[in-house]
Amino acid sequence: MKKYIIKAVIVIAVFFMSMTVISRVMNKGNTDMTVEMSKASYPVITMQYQGIEINTLHGYADVMEINYMREAITPLMEGRRVSCKISCYGREIEGIRYEVRSLDGERLVEDTAIPEFSEENDEIMVNFGLKDLIDSGREYMLVMILTTSSGDEIRYYTRVLYGDNYYAAEKLDYVLDFSERTFDKERAKELTKYLESNSEGDNTTLGKVTIHSSFQQVTWGSLSVKKLAEPRITVRELASQTASILLDYMVYEGSGKNTIYYQVEEFYRIRYTSDRMYLLDYERTMNQVFDDSGKVFGNKKIYLGITGDEVPLTESSGGGVAAFVTGRRLYSYNIADNKLAYLFGFTDRDNQDERDSYDKHDIQILNVDEGGNVTFMVYGYMNRGRHEGKVGISVYYYDGAVNTIEEMLYVPSSKSPELLMAEVKELSYINKGGTLYLLLDNVLYGISSASRSCDVIVKDLKEGCYQVSDSNQMVVWQKENELYEGTELILMNLNTGVQSHIKAENGEAIAPIGFIGDDLIYGAARKDDIVPDETGNLVFPMYSVRIENETEGILKEYHQEGIYVTSGSVNGNQINLKRVTRTEAGTYESVSDDQIINAETQTESSNYLETVAVDLYETVTQIALKEDINTDSMKHLTPREVLFEGGRNIVIAASQERGDRYYVYGKNGVEGIFMNEGNAVRLASDVSGVVVDDTGSYIWMKGNRSLKNQIMAIQGMAAEENQGSLAVCLDTILEYEGISRNTQYLLDRGEGVLQILKDNLEQSRVLDLTGVSLDSVLYYVNQDIPVLVMTEEGEAVLLIGFNEMNTVIMNPATGTVYKMGMNDSKDWFEKNGNRFITYVRMEQ
């Protein structure tokens, strides 16, 4: 009996010892299966121009699409010289070469290796001259290629421009001097002559200061801030007169444990003349660096301080967990467990150099649940980690129970970070089944995180043929995918994957206008009422506008006898409608706008953002929580990333049939992507930017215009018998470009103006700029390109010159060239709908 008892004790002891060992091994294995994000390892290249460091270039692991790489432009020095500094950061460089390419990337101008270079203090200075193969005044792409000791090739991109009339040094000196003076109120008095302080400026916040702000705001209010280091300079655009320059630096105030840091960006758009410098636009944003170890919690608040950028905040359905992004760092706060987790960010206490803080990426919160789990997306340039130097979209899942993050999928891209960021912001949504929906290159994709598969939901979407709700949960498109020809709309709930079909009545067409909340707004037009205007574009007069819910059907209908709606826009809970009425001649003329008000109120959040006025800091942002915070027991978590075997990449094939697209670049990078050139120019005018096409060619630029210009080669031409003024204008344009045509014959047989010009100006891009302002189209006249102006009566004139007071008109009705006052011209053109058609010559 005793023997059996001893054996039983031994068995039990062995069992518990085994369990202990197994437990330790398993726990050790779990620890080994997680890792911290690897540090940045790529070198950085800083261009230099006449002793000034500009354009910090970050390395790319892949070959990028050159026509989209527009972050910076570097002026070449005398003799087409290039000077740059390579900061190695401990990486061994074995080879350096460079390529010079055309802006569309198709033509290789030069491919040269730098035979000798030496490293000193972890830096390599490189100086070389480009061959005499580039034209003065034309932009090219310079690609610097570093080969590391491991055999990797890392690429760096900047546009370059050669010429002696860009006054880059003077423009840079002005910007640096302006910025420096803002820190000294006495020296800053000189700046008042450049400011345009008025009611447009918001003088209640230091988060965003503009050219319209007061002198007090521009000089940092009552804050005593100091620069932590000299600013990084990025030359965004450079032309003969104008330049757009961005400064990026950090400031601080206070001392010791009470020191507060701020990230600052200053945008300048300036014009150089021989007499003086003009400040055309100025904007400074200031964002407090969130320090979760500081005094930022208490009284049901998370204090974010001064913010110039929007703070994304998403809460779980019951409000028990709130996730927010500040300074491109993602946090979540579990209210019940009193846990603050720093989920993601390329910068942290141990990673704060210029590579970590590079801001060409963004973070979007996709979902937060009551268990503290967060699904989020990082997209753009990957500063460090497993995708360092790549551009793409990475979706992560944070598991609140075990405090880990795991990558669910990764979508690589060869476009610029700025362009990818702009596309992702248009539509990105993940549903409960783990399917991610993205709208890229006018294609709606559904990407399964479980099967790592990608489905095309609908392709070749055209501008105006689809709409996305603010929540990104609902999307609608025309089945025919042709503007103003839709007989069926497809409404899709991305959360459920369910598609609803809305069909037009016989003899009618329907088109989406937008969403108010998640309710669809669309309009119906009779096909007999859809007629082309003088330019050949269709007018889509909607006799009825409807608001329809996915499950409840039509909620509201707008209809007024004899009044038609041509377009609509949503602002908050108000729908603004552009309206016309039909004349006896069958054309349409504008009448006053109207509005539809949505009386429904939005559901209040348990946790929300609020702004508070504070004497010294003026306006600060904080998160108001549903419950108080116990700072003594608060747990601060930093999750580790789960390792996994294999890759989770999902490659999306580029769309081959996306049509012409126009890209608006401004102070915030890519401000918009359009298929309609007029919409692109209007936005670029509003944001003081530029418009380029898919080849990287300029379509329009703000402000780089002479005080006067006239196309002297175009003389007065009178309409002959059986010839209209429109035909005279078209003949004159074609003759000016060396082409002889009888356009009256083409018009008589039904060809439209746009088609005639496109068929004959084969080396140019024809632009329909209907609705664009007179001031904007003078850009083309300044380039010695005439602008066709059409009236509602079907007549036409040519705009061929301007000065500060007048425009110059060639009018076939009189056969003369004459001046018209600028204000009179503006009024006349506006009354006729600003119907402008012109073109740009494409570089060969």
Side-chain angles (χ1 to χ4, degrees), residues 532-537 726-727 730-731 734 741-762 788 790 794 837:
D533 60 16
E534 291 79 4
T535 65
N537 289 319
L726 178 56
L730 291 172
D731 287 348
L734 296 178
R741 288 287 186 276
N742 179 359
T743 58
Q744 187 63 61
Y745 168 76
L746 300 177
L747 290 169
D748 289 343
R749 71 180 192 182
E751 292 191 28
V753 175
L754 290 170
Q755 195 59 50
I756 291 173
L757 291 176
K758 288 177 180 178
D759 289 344
N760 290 279
L761 297 177
E762 296 180 355
L788 175 65
M790 303 181 65
I837 296 176

Side-chain angles (χ1 to χ4, degrees), residues 180-365:
E180 189 65 33
R181 286 177 183 270
T182 63
F183 292 89
D184 185 329
K185 281 184 164 52
E186 187 61 34
R187 292 186 61 221
K189 291 179 180 178
E190 178 70 17
L191 304 180
T192 54
K193 65 182 179 183
Y194 301 111
L195 299 177
E196 300 174 10
S197 303
N198 55 35
S199 58
E200 292 183 37
D202 183 357
N203 295 315
T204 67
T205 177
L206 292 170
K208 182 169 289 187
V209 174
T210 72
I211 193 172
H212 302 297
S213 299
S214 67
F215 173 81
Q216 176 72 0
Q217 295 300 102
V218 172
T219 54
W220 308 92
S222 299
L223 281 183
S224 178
V225 296
K226 297 182 177 65
K227 282 193 293 186
L228 190 65
E230 291 304 308
R232 290 189 292 263
I233 306 168
T234 303
V235 182
R236 302 297 300 265
E237 301 291 343
L238 182 63
S240 56
Q241 295 182 46
T242 59
S244 295
I245 299 172
L246 188 71
L247 302 186
D248 176 18
Y249 58 96
M250 291 190 71
V251 299
Y252 68 96
E253 51 105 5
S255 59
K257 293 183 178 179
N258 295 321
T259 303
I260 301 176
Y261 296 93
Y262 303 90
Q263 187 67 46
V264 177
E265 280 192 355
E266 289 183 329
F267 174 83
Y268 296 82
R269 195 170 68 87
I270 54 179
R271 175 187 285 133
Y272 172 89
T273 70
S274 57
D275 298 326
R276 57 166 289 186
M277 199 77 74
Y278 292 88
L279 183 64
L280 303 178
D281 195 10
Y282 172 74
E283 181 176 294
R284 183 179 72 212
T285 57
M286 182 179 185
N287 288 281
Q288 183 169 327
V289 178
F290 182 70
D291 181 8
D292 58 88
S293 65
K295 299 177 181 179
V296 293
F297 307 101
N299 299 321
K300 295 185 179 181
K301 312 290 184 185
I302 300 178
Y303 180 84
L304 303 179
I306 297 173
T307 58
D309 297 329
E310 183 180 348
V311 178
L313 172 66
T314 304
E315 65 176 6
S316 57
S317 58
V321 181
F324 61 96
V325 180
T326 177
R328 290 183 172 81
R329 296 193 292 179
L330 172 63
Y331 295 84
S332 73
Y333 179 60
N334 190 314
I335 297 173
D337 296 340
N338 197 21
K339 293 179 180 178
L340 180 78
Y342 174 33
L343 303 187
F344 191 92
F346 290 122
T347 58
D348 53 39
R349 291 183 179 86
D350 300 321
N351 299 275
Q352 296 188 20
D353 65 37
E354 59 189 337
R355 300 169 299 174
D356 305 311
S357 60
Y358 186 46
D359 64 356
K360 291 300 176 283
H361 66 276
D362 220 332
I363 301 173
Q364 181 170 329
I365 305 164

Side-chain angles (χ1 to χ4, degrees), residues 376-508:
F376 62 95
M377 181 169 61
V378 181
Y379 55 100
Y381 180 87
M382 302 299 171
N383 301 26
R384 60 189 182 98
R386 64 162 55 96
H387 303 300
E388 181 181 5
K390 296 180 179 290
V391 175
I393 304 165
S394 188
V395 178
Y396 289 95
Y397 177 77
Y398 170 67
D399 190 325
V402 295
N403 191 37
T404 60
I405 65 170
E406 181 175 0
E407 185 177 70
M408 300 167 62
L409 58 89
Y410 177 75
V411 181
S413 174
S414 59
K415 295 181 181 178
S416 72
E418 294 178 319
L419 182 52
L420 180 65
M421 290 163 67
E423 287 194 312
V424 169
K425 287 175 182 176
E426 187 170 8
L427 188 154
S428 52
Y429 184 86
I430 193 165
N431 65 17
K432 294 177 181 179
T435 299
L436 174 69
Y437 293 94
L438 295 172
L439 183 58
L440 305 173
D441 279 343
N442 303 109
V443 178
L444 177 61
Y445 296 97
I447 304 170
S448 171
S449 60
S451 63
R452 309 285 192 300
S453 60
C454 177
D455 294 324
V456 174
I457 307 301
V458 58
K459 62 181 181 178
D460 303 330
L461 291 171
K462 296 182 179 179
E463 188 175 339
C465 293
Y466 69 93
Q467 296 289 339
V468 180
S469 68
D470 287 342
S471 69
N472 279 205
Q473 180 176 322
M474 305 297 295
V475 60
V476 65
W477 64 88
Q478 287 181 334
K479 183 177 180 181
E480 291 82 359
N481 202 20
E482 288 295 334
L483 194 61
Y484 305 150
E485 294 183 10
T487 58
E488 184 176 339
L489 298 180
I490 300 176
L491 176 67
M492 184 172 182
N493 184 327
L494 301 185
N495 190 45
T496 62
V498 174
Q499 295 183 5
S500 305
H501 297 260
I502 303 171
K503 296 186 178 181
E505 299 292 336
N506 289 334
E508 295 185 359

